[in-house]
Amino acid sequence: MSSVTTLELDIEPITPKFGAYVLDIDVSEDLTDDVIAAIRAALVDRKLLVFTGQALTPDSQITFGRRFGELTASHPVMPSYSREFPEIWQIDSIDGTAKNDEWHTDVTFVQRPPLGSILRAVQIPPYGGDTLWADLEQAYESLSDPVRALVDGLQAEHDGNREFGDYLRQNGGNDWDEGKVTRLDPVTHPVVRIHPESGRKALFVNPWFTRRILGVSDAESRGILDALYAHITRPDFVIKHRWSEGDVLMWDNRSTVHYAVNDYGDNRRIMHRVTIKGDEPFGPTSLS
Ligand code: SIN
């Protein structure tokens, strides 16, 4: 029999189904297995967790992340923060690596995208630089029955070449899954993803990496994707987080998309992200 977590976290919901502040936890401490299991259950349930007043370092961010599973390299293509911390991606607005100002779920252009991500603010601009997250489960649930029936059966191609292909060709890639990344072959994922832990369904497309719907015409693919992108980013499903020093946010990549708002001009914004290894997405038709 699998063990059951009885520990209750002190959490403050942000909206009825999406997001929560986790109170009274110092994530740099050596947390018990029960606390980690409770955080993981809250992550699956709430999809986005906010820990405020933290004092993480690169070391303790990695240690915290590893409690939820093996960590990936910083990114399949983008360089790590340092040799010492190959798991950390420094998302720096000034050094030209990334601003991440497009709706996306992390790294969906690989066969096994990360399960979740943990982001901490290292340098916050004096104004702006918020991050938005959208709840892909509510987005799916709010579709009408006929549209759900349509999307349940669809597959989509995801491709990271447009964003990362040039960088990869010039600089080479990182170790990811079974080996070093030398090219980015497009991958296929279901348009509706079933969460492996909760069994809930979520729309699993994003404008940064999803290129087309398979098995339909180009015009149909464009029409379907445009409609889905407009739907998943409806304000009703979106949480906006204004960063403060000491904030650490953790999200479930199996049920959310996010967007780093690029409204801080030439001011510098630095974030450190680690990602937890994930599994291959499956959808309603993968089960039949
Ligand atoms: C990300 O896209 O993973 C980072 C988001 C952010 O920089 O706010």
Side-chain angles (χ1 to χ4, degrees), residues 52-165:
T52 60
Q54 306 295 319
L56 283 182
T57 60
D59 251 330
S60 55
Q61 184 174 5
I62 289 172
T63 304
F64 178 58
R66 282 195 184 135
R67 298 296 304 278
F68 300 93
E70 206 180 325
L71 297 184
T72 67
S74 52
H75 188 271
V77 175
M78 301 309 283
S80 59
Y81 169 52
S82 70
R83 270 178 204 275
E84 198 188 352
F85 301 113
E87 299 90 347
I88 293 183
W89 184 17
Q90 172 159 300
I91 302 168
D92 184 339
S93 62
I94 294 289
D95 75 1
T97 49
K99 285 199 165 180
N100 293 9
D101 49 349
E102 175 59 284
W103 284 103
H104 64 286
T105 299
D106 294 326
V107 197
T108 63
F109 53 88
V110 299
Q111 210 70 52
R112 286 182 286 281
L115 170 161
S117 305
I118 301 171
L119 188 70
R120 80 180 174 99
V122 175
Q123 185 170 329
I124 307 165
Y127 32 71
D130 300 351
T131 308
L132 312 177
W133 279 267
D135 179 347
L136 298 177
E137 290 180 349
Q138 283 194 74
Y140 176 80
E141 284 157 17
S142 67
L143 293 171
S144 62
D145 286 346
V147 176
R148 275 196 231 174
L150 169 73
V151 292
D152 271 354
L154 296 176
Q155 307 280 320
E157 184 179 282
H158 295 236
D159 186 350
N161 276 296
R162 189 178 65 196
E163 286 70 26
F164 303 114

Side-chain angles (χ1 to χ4, degrees), residues 187-230:
V187 297
T188 300
H189 293 309
V191 166
V192 174
R193 182 173 190 177
I194 297 179
H195 197 290
E197 294 180 61
S198 69
R200 294 198 294 245
K201 289 179 176 178
L203 286 171
F204 193 63
V205 288
N206 68 85
W208 216 13
F209 305 129
T210 312
R211 289 290 165 270
R212 63 192 176 96
I213 303 287
L214 299 174
V216 302
S217 70
D218 285 350
E220 287 168 331
S221 169
R222 265 198 312 278
I224 293 169
L225 285 175
D226 284 349
L228 292 179
Y229 295 154

